[in-house]
Amino acid sequence: MEAPHSSPAVDSTGTPVPGTGTPGTGPSVPGTGTSVTGTGTAVTGTGTAVTVTLTVESPEQMQDLGRRLARVLAPGDLVMLTGELGAGKTTLTRGLGEGLGVRGAVTSPTFVIARVHPSLVQGPALVHVDAYRLGGGLDEMEDLDLDVSLPESVVVVEWGDGKVEELSEDRLRVLIDRATGDTDDERREVTLMGIGPRWAGLRDELV
């Protein structure tokens, strides 16, 4: 479970995500029970962004989505997670860790800011960062004194919007929206925005 913070997350109200696709019921994602509800492409300040929107019905499906995402991740990838408290950011990251085959339990890094999970399968390490208390920028990330080179790792940053974009021109932004008004509703809408040439084939790789 994600550690509490004193203010709401950026984009917790659902900042519009650029896209040209028309939302609608689409094909299910094999093995997850999630369904693709909309896709599109848009031009951003850093190039083309490809978006894929999924509906996730439970924490188990969120974790399984993380395992599926892990299959398309490579060393040097930057993943930015945005969503309000309890949306499922750490649950998704736990699935990423399982899919990458890293060591150690993936939990919220709030009180240590960053955790490094080395690979157990000769793959990239997982660097899990909580940027809530960071001002942002590459220098501040380097000041964390991580014992692994960022270009050789998969870096996952919670609360990273407006803070860590300069780490990479190619990045995967994950926006998790939860149901409003009913805290017991486990359904989430997950929008994946792949920014830059690295993510041009995001939809094909995921589905």
Side-chain angles (χ1 to χ4, degrees):
M1 180 173 178
E2 298 167 52
H5 292 295
S6 59
S7 62
V10 176
D11 287 343
S12 63
T13 57
T15 299
V17 177
T20 58
T22 301
T25 302
S28 62
V29 178
T32 66
T34 57
S35 61
V36 179
T37 56
T39 60
T41 59
V43 177
T44 71
T46 56
T48 301
V50 177
T51 64
V52 178
T53 302
L54 309 170
T55 299
V56 176
E57 302 287 349
S58 67
E60 292 75 20
Q61 288 186 9
M62 184 70 76
Q63 193 162 334
D64 197 46
L65 176 59
R67 286 190 287 265
R68 288 189 59 81
L69 283 174
R71 299 176 189 175
V72 305
L73 294 176
D77 282 343
L78 172 63
V79 181
M80 298 168 54
L81 304 183
T82 299
E84 64 181 16
L85 177 64
K89 299 185 295 296
T90 300
T91 300
L92 180 68
T93 307
R94 188 172 299 119
L96 288 174
E98 291 179 0
L100 291 171
V102 301
R103 185 177 66 202
V106 175
T107 59
S108 175
T110 299
F111 300 107
V112 296
I113 300 181
R115 285 194 176 96
V116 178
H117 298 273
S119 175
L120 296 174
V121 294
Q122 298 184 337
L126 171 65
V127 179
H128 185 197
V129 180
D130 185 322
Y132 185 80
R133 290 180 289 159
L134 297 181
L138 182 59
D139 291 342
E140 195 163 3
M141 286 288 291
E142 291 177 341
D143 288 344
L144 294 178
D145 194 27
L146 302 175
D147 61 353
V148 65
S149 174
L150 296 181
E152 298 173 358
S153 311
V154 170
V155 180
V156 177
V157 184
E158 299 186 24
W159 309 89
D161 277 5
K163 299 178 180 180
V164 299
E165 285 87 349
E166 67 184 86
L167 289 174
S168 177
E169 293 184 357
D170 295 279
R171 55 191 179 274
L172 179 63
R173 184 171 180 263
V174 182
L175 175 62
I176 305 174
D177 281 326
R178 65 187 299 174
T180 59
D182 183 359
T183 57
D184 294 329
D185 192 340
E186 301 287 1
R187 179 177 296 181
R188 303 287 189 267
E189 184 175 89
V190 182
T191 300
L192 309 172
M193 177 187 288
I195 300 171
R198 160 73 178 90
W199 299 104
L202 174 63
R203 186 179 187 280
D204 291 338
E205 292 177 341
L206 182 61
V207 180

